Amino acid sequence: MKNYILADEWKIIEEGFRPELHMISESLFSLGNGRMGQRANFEEAYSGQTLPGNYVAGVYYPDKTRVGWWKNGYPEYFAKVLNAANWIGIDVVLGDDQLDLAKAELKSFRRELNMKEGYLKRTFSAVTSGGIEVAVEAIRFCSLVDDETGAIKYTITPLNYSGPVTITPYIDGDVVNKDSNYDEKFWDEVAKETWDGGGYVQLRTRKTGFEVATGQQFMISQGGTELSAAAQNIEKLKYVASKVTLQAVAGQAIIVTKFAANIASLNYPADALAEVLKTTLKAISKKGFEQMLAEQAAAWAKKWQHNDILIEGDISAQQGIRFNIFQLNQTYTGEDDRLNIGPKGFTGEKYGGSTYWDTEAYCVPFYLATADQKVTRNLLLYRYKQLGKAIENAQLLGFKDGAALYPMVTMDGTECHNEWEITFEEIHRNGAIAHAIFDYVRYTGDEQYLSDYGLEVLIAIARFWAQRVNWSGDKQKYVMLGVTGPNEYENNVNNNWYTNTMATWCLQYAIDVASKVKVREPGKYQELVAKITLNEEVEFARFSDIIAKMYYPADEKLGIFLQQDGYLDKEQILVKDLPASERPLNQKWSWDRILRSCYIKQADVLQGLYFFEYNYDVETIRRNYDFYEPRTVHESSLSPCVHAVIAAKLGDEARAYEFYLRTSRLDLDDYNNDTEDGCHITSMAGTWLAVVQGFGGMRVKNNKLSFDPFLPAKWGSFSFHIGFRGNLLNIKVGKQGVQIKNLSGNALTVTIYGKDQIVQANNWLLVEA
């Protein structure tokens, strides 16, 4: 675990430069706006270890899977978000010395991510190899207001030097992905152009044919006066630049203001990209840096009004939750139903930037409560529009009659995961998608979604489960063989309790929704029956039979659900008895050894108890929690949040707080030694869950918000906002009790500690502890 980020309520601060931690910081200080994102690479040259990353939402490449064999149904490629053209570059040469922090002597260094206003600021002073001392301040952001653009204000002040300085702002499209399977470059040049103070490169992805025009417009001032010095325009393959040489004066600041944009064929005709780019650059440069920065601060202030969480008395916890919320809002805005949330967002290449079940299982509750309901609706529509591909994916594996298996990893609906045991076996992802529909409708009351889109998805998923089980003559039960549950430290197991439970829940939910739609909109229901050739009597009878006769592994002596058949055959050594030197297991043990162990990567049985807690009494949940948590190594970023929520429900404050702090600072403190390749964006939604569902005890029961909160001993109070069916509430939990403010124009009934309370419009009430 690292501990180099300074504590601050609204900022992420690194004081002093440590090259060995630089790639971690590049992830932590990343910027984004839903359309584009940028790792915290330096503007000036850096010859040290770095992971360059500029990403454009929705633009990807099908990189051929690097294995020597394929089996029927095996994905041919792993889709990945691409490192796109570098728009931040500004080369600086003082005399004959290029500014490069890997070679210079650093006198001071500080970078800070201002989460309140949405920008990155970096300051340093350094001495070059030739003895020139220089101070630099760089401020940049990806604009939320003009969401295809970014801006940089780069101020360089020679401290002991007067003489020639060469400044070269550039756009470099000759980039690589670190994770390219065959060291292939994914972009071809289409066009480029330079002009006075600017230029662009237009690139096209191989195979997928996406085009992106990335351009710059810049100006340079010295001593408060904008320079009109002639620039030497440079054009090379996939590269444009403008070199400006001026005479520096010791102590006098030189300011480079650079505006940039990424314009993609995802949103405009390819032959119009250059014109749109030029118009965009003209508009933002006319606004100017200060106006754009002010607009950025205003846009972030609006977001924070709705989704900030305030924690009093624990600065580490406060910084952690705000960092998580900040990154979630940088990653996904919900404006485009073609886009989704990659596990690393715009902060790195790992997981390819593709869509996983993480979105439905962890992110949906966050966006339901903190954004307009259209945001979550667009996440659901993303899956609905890929239903045809999900049916094709199932057909490749031998399923038929409209059964759908949603991919474990995808960009366009095609399965593209490159680990066979995950691709074929981790089928519980189907259930997460169905549960997201349930979550959305329960939370918003938008039952029209079920008629328009949801039921069709639910029937296709149910058909998959009905074909995936088989009858066991020995057990006289339906069983599910050869699966991988959420615990990926188990492969090819039989009767994973969570998967079996999720399957029967999906079957019942499909029947229930069909019954509801049939009554509510009989015409639309009959249209769907005809469209998908639904034999209601036969298929629903099959669903009901499976529900009634499904096998669930359990141990009566321990009073627990078994993770899968044979789990207790494993040697039961608890995590606390493992030498610290052997962890994390995924970096220290062979895969064979992991698979034979009892250790759990993330919540598995407990994932089911989290989703369906209303079906189980508290003591059942407690027995399973007390058994499985000590065997869990939490080597998935998605693990601590579920454990925090359940611990809070059980009144286990110590473990709830421990797991909250771990999930909220997972990346800030680099718990799992893997932040350098990007932050864990989807698990950040789990951090929000740990506070709101965990300490806040928030649930939706009987179409009402329900809260059963408690205050961690280390906190003076905590508060959060919840949007619910057109209403906005502020919930503050303090030592005196629970204060509820209704910030909307309608009275609302909420349940606090099991008792209904009416909160009048634009009013508040206090429920004493």
Side-chain angles (χ1 to χ4, degrees), residues 638-652:
L638 300 173
S639 188
C641 58
V642 172
H643 287 81
V645 172
I646 298 177
K649 178 179 177 60
L650 297 175
D652 188 340

Side-chain angles (χ1 to χ4, degrees), residues 422-443:
I422 305 300
T423 303
F424 297 143
E425 297 178 0
E426 200 163 335
I427 53 177
H428 65 80
R429 72 241 192 189
N430 248 15
I433 291 164
H435 195 268
I437 296 172
F438 168 76
D439 248 358
Y440 170 77
V441 175
R442 174 178 59 172
Y443 198 91

Side-chain angles (χ1 to χ4, degrees), residues 164 350 376 672 711:
K350 193 173 181 181
T376 305
N672 289 343
L711 182 67

Side-chain angles (χ1 to χ4, degrees), residues 622-697:
R622 188 186 309 279
R623 284 194 304 273
N624 281 276
Y625 190 84
D626 288 344
F627 179 82
Y628 284 109
E629 193 285 316
R631 292 160 171 81
T632 304
V633 290
H634 302 290
E635 288 175 12
S636 164
S637 65
L638 300 173
S639 188
C641 58
V642 172
H643 287 81
V645 172
I646 298 177
K649 178 179 177 60
L650 297 175
D652 188 340
E653 180 182 337
R655 282 194 287 190
Y657 182 80
E658 173 194 348
F659 288 124
Y660 162 73
L661 205 61
R662 179 164 181 165
T663 187
S664 70
R665 300 192 63 86
L666 182 78
D667 289 309
L668 289 176
D669 295 333
D670 194 25
Y671 266 91
N672 289 343
N673 295 313
D674 59 358
T675 302
E676 65 181 24
D677 53 28
C679 295
H680 298 81
I681 302 299
T682 49
S683 80
M684 289 177 169
T687 302
W688 182 90
L689 296 174
V691 174
V692 175
Q693 293 184 358
F695 304 131

Side-chain angles (χ1 to χ4, degrees), residues 122-195:
R122 181 170 59 102
T123 58
F124 66 86
S125 61
V127 179
T128 70
S129 57
I132 298 173
E133 187 171 357
V134 63
V136 170
E137 178 186 88
I139 300 174
R140 75 168 181 248
F141 57 91
C142 293
S143 174
L144 287 179
V145 177
D146 303 292
D147 65 3
E148 296 166 313
T149 73
I152 302 169
K153 184 178 181 182
Y154 190 90
T155 304
I156 179 168
T157 306
L159 300 178
N160 65 348
Y161 171 75
S162 297
V165 173
T166 300
I167 297 172
T168 310
Y170 64 85
I171 303 292
D172 184 7
D174 192 21
V175 294
V176 298
N177 266 56
K178 179 184 178 182
D179 66 352
S180 170
N181 281 337
Y182 294 93
D183 299 323
E184 181 181 6
K185 292 185 177 180
F186 301 139
W187 297 96
D188 290 324
E189 182 182 295
V190 174
K192 60 176 173 279
E193 183 184 347
T194 54
W195 57 80

